[in-house]
Amino acid sequence: MRIQINDCSLQLTQGDITQQNVDAIVNAANSQLAGGGGVDGAIHSAGGASIMEETDRRYPDGCETGQAVISSAGNLSCKYVIHTVGPVWNGGLRGESDLLRSAFQNSLTLAFEHHCDSLAFPAISTGVYGYPMDLAAQNSLMTVAEFLREHEAPSLVKFVLFDAGAYGAFSYALENIAAVAINW
Ligand code: ADP
């Protein structure tokens, strides 16, 4: 499924983030940039050790929740990996929504500054960090849609959803956003 926002496409696909043919992919990292399971594990295992060598060297203090940093992509076919740290879900009253927005905005800004024409996101925070999938879908997609409306780049932003449940939740949210975006 995809919607058009000005000259930009916002697209959903089911699959593995490491297998996407885009300029940059986004990693759901932890604040130590220490590597982990899920998306992080898949990216470091497919991309090789050079990615973590670089983030250790350039970002020895890690990355705060809601922020993002960028590295090269080792053996992956993309040019860059953008490492962002989503919030851990704690019931919803601890600023999770703003922090998730901020993780997406800071990742998009880095992609924009590095002239990435295409970018792939996973469903940040919805794995080990426990953010409810339907709430994450609505918040994440709306944040990207607003950024595309304002900046008119990157020309393609893909959400790569790992399973059918995530794809379904994101499709439902994207249909609602399409109804709003038609008036933009
Ligand atoms: P977080 O710690 O931010 O919750 P996770 O990596 O645990 O991050 O999970 C984020 C989402 O990414 C989950 O919905 C998970 O199912 C999904 N996921 C896990 N591996 C991959 C992958 N290789 N490609 C795309 N999505 C993935």
Side-chain angles (χ1 to χ4, degrees):
M1 176 178 183
R2 73 161 68 201
I3 68 167
Q4 200 69 21
I5 295 169
N6 299 322
D7 290 335
C8 305
S9 284
L10 176 47
Q11 185 189 329
L12 307 183
T13 182
Q14 197 182 325
D16 178 347
I17 189 106
T18 64
Q19 304 301 312
Q20 306 302 312
N21 187 18
V22 287
D23 291 337
I25 63 174
V26 178
N27 182 15
N30 55 53
S31 54
Q32 295 80 35
L33 301 177
V39 173
D40 207 346
I43 288 177
H44 288 295
S45 100
S50 69
I51 300 177
M52 205 175 293
E53 281 161 19
E54 182 179 339
T55 55
D56 283 350
R57 180 166 36 81
R58 292 177 66 186
Y59 312 110
D61 298 331
C63 177
E64 282 176 27
T65 303
Q67 301 299 309
V69 298
I70 193 164
S71 73
S72 53
N75 304 326
L76 294 167
S77 63
C78 52
K79 289 188 216 148
Y80 301 108
V81 177
I82 293 171
H83 308 263
T84 192
V85 183
V88 175
W89 181 258
N90 235 311
L93 299 175
R94 304 261 173 99
E96 293 94 330
S97 171
D98 287 346
L99 287 166
L100 189 64
R101 267 184 91 72
S102 156
F104 277 92
Q105 283 165 342
N106 286 317
S107 299
L108 286 157
T109 300
L110 275 177
F112 185 80
E113 288 169 354
H114 287 77
H115 308 290
C116 296
D117 202 38
S118 52
L119 176 66
F121 280 107
I124 293 166
S125 284
T126 65
V128 195
Y129 283 4
Y131 208 108
M133 189 62 79
D134 50 346
L135 298 181
Q138 167 69 27
N139 193 2
S140 306
L141 286 166
M142 197 59 180
T143 304
V144 173
E146 285 169 357
F147 188 94
L148 295 179
R149 173 173 63 154
E150 218 169 288
H151 295 80
E152 305 202 1
S155 64
L156 172 65
V157 176
K158 266 183 179 185
F159 275 83
V160 183
L161 291 327
F162 208 42
D163 56 34
Y167 187 85
F170 273 71
S171 302
Y172 179 76
L174 190 58
E175 275 168 24
N176 290 332
I177 286 168
V180 174
I182 208 145
N183 296 313
W184 285 357

